[in-house]
Amino acid sequence: MATKLVSMNTENTKNEVILPQITVQHDITTVMNDVRDGVVADGWEDAWISCYFEGKPSVHGKLRITRISGGLSYEARDGVGWHGTSSADFRVSCASLKIEPTLIRLPKHVYIVAETQRITAFDISPDGTTFATGYGDGSIIVTPVSTTGDTASRRVAKAHLSTVLSLRFFPSSVVLLSSSSDLSLAIHDAKLSPLSATSLPSSLATVRSLKAHSAGVTRCDIIDRGRNVLSFSRDASVRLWNVGDGKEIVGRRWRAPKGSPVLCGCVGEVLKRIENIPSEFTPEPLSGGPSVSLLEGEVGTKGKMIYVGLQDGSVRGYDLSTGTSIFFSTGGQSTSTTVRPSPVDSICYSADKSILAAGSRDGTVRVWDLEALNQRTSVDEVHNQTTFENESDIPPTWCIRRNTGGIEGLFVLSSISQPAEATEVPPPDLRMLLIASADGMLFKAGFLEGIEPMLLEEFIGVESGDGIRGVKAITTDGITSIWSASDDGLVRKY
C-alpha cells in the first residue's frame, strides 16, 4: 500500500513550512501494560494526547485504555482521534488542526545506561551490536545491544577531562572515536569482552589522543575505513588527522571565514557539478590553500566534500583534497546586522538520497536537494565560487519548523530504512529525515518534489524537556531500527 502524503499549508513568506506536532503521554506503554495486566483496579485508565500547530489553538485530548477479552480497546475524546489496535499501526489525528492519522512509534526497548547522568553524545556500531554514550564528566560507556543470553559486559572509561561532545564508531565496530570540550579527540579499543562471572564493566582502553585544537572539538567524523579522521572545533577550524601516528595533516586544515566557530560537520561526496566541469574551468584552491596532491599520511580524501554548520548561521562545503569552497548558504536567514542568525548545531548528508540537511538552534531544519543543484548549476557559477568573497548563496530546497526547540540531531533514512513492522511502502523518490530536538521530540519528516514537506511519524517515550542528543538508524539483517539518546540518561530503540 502506498504511503498517503499529507502536508500542512503555510503563509510564511520565507517559504518555511510549519509542520504539526503530536505529543503523547511519554509512559503510555506502561499505562497499556498496567491495564492489560490487571494492575489497574478499574480495568481502564486515561492517557493524554496533545496536538499543536503554530498560530492555532492547541488541542488537549484523552485516550481511554480499557482491558477487554483478548486485549485492549482504545477510545479517544476531546478533539483527538486514535486509530489502530497494535503498536505497529497506532495513529493520532486531530480534525480541528487538520492533522490526518499520523503514525505513532513506541519504543521497543529502553536501555538504562546511567540514569542519573545526562547523555551528551551517542553512536551505535555499524554492525548493530554495540552502542556508546558520552557524558558531561568526560566519561564514555560502551554497552552491548543484546539483553539476553551470553552477552558481553560493558566497558567504561573517564576518557576526557570534560564533556564528551561527539562519538563515532569506526567501520570495524570495535574502535571508537570521541571528541570533547577539553580540546582533544581520542581513539578507543571498544571491543567488548565476554561476560564475566562478576558481570562488572571492564575499562575502555584509550589507544590514541589527538591534540591541536585551541577550543572544544564539537564533532568528529571518519574517512572511509578510518586511516584518517576529521575534527570540527569552536576554534573555527576543521582538521584532518593521520590515525597511524596521531598527528594532524596540517596541509588539510580549513578555517571558517571571520573566525566563526564550527559547531558541526560531516563528510560527503564532491558534487557532480564539480566532477563534470572541464579542467580549464575547475576552480583553483583558495589562496594559500592546500596542495591538490596527496600529503604524507593522507588516505581516501579524493572526491570527499566536507560540510560544516557555523555559529554565524551559515552552512559551508569545501573539497577536502583542495580546500576549494564549493557550497555556501545562509539558509535564507537574515544577514541584517541587527538580527542575529541562529547557529547551526546539527548537519547530515546522504549520498543515497542526494540531500544535505542542517538544523538550527531556533528549531528550523533546512534541506538542500543536491541532485537538483547538480543539474541547474552552470560552469560560470561554479567558477565564481573560488573565494569566500564572491560565493553564491544557495537557498535551501525545503525549510521546515514546528516550534523553537533547537535541533540536536538529524539522520537521513535510506530507501530501505523502514521499520520491520511497517505496513506502508513509501514512494521511491521520497526523502525521509529523522529530526531530534532539545525539547524531547523525535519525528520523521518527508520531502517529495512538488509537494510541501510533511510529518510522517512521531516517536514517543521521552518526557517533554528531556532533550534528545543523538538519533541514528541502523539496518541489520534487513531490519531497520531507530535509536535515540536523551537527557534522562536512557537510550531508546524503536
Side-chain angles (χ1 to χ4, degrees), residues 217-232:
V217 184
T218 54
R219 291 292 184 274
C220 56
D221 210 341
I222 296 168
I223 304 293
D224 290 343
R225 296 173 60 187
R227 294 174 65 179
N228 288 167
V229 299
L230 281 164
S231 58
F232 305 85

Side-chain angles (χ1 to χ4, degrees), residues 271-310:
L271 297 176
K272 294 177 184 177
R273 64 187 177 121
I274 299 300
E275 294 177 341
N276 297 333
I277 295 300
S279 59
E280 63 267 27
F281 292 108
T282 302
E284 294 296 322
L286 295 176
S287 176
S291 166
V292 177
S293 59
L294 287 177
L295 303 177
E296 183 179 355
E298 183 179 7
V299 180
T301 59
K302 183 176 176 56
K304 293 294 188 296
M305 179 118 163
I306 307 304
Y307 291 101
V308 297
L310 304 182

Side-chain angles (χ1 to χ4, degrees), residues 17 19 52 87 114 129 231 296 313 347 368 376 415 424 443 460:
V17 174
L19 295 183
Y52 305 87
S87 60
T129 63
S231 58
E296 183 179 355
I347 194 167
W368 291 264
R376 70 171 180 258
S415 56
E424 300 180 344
F443 68 100
I460 306 303

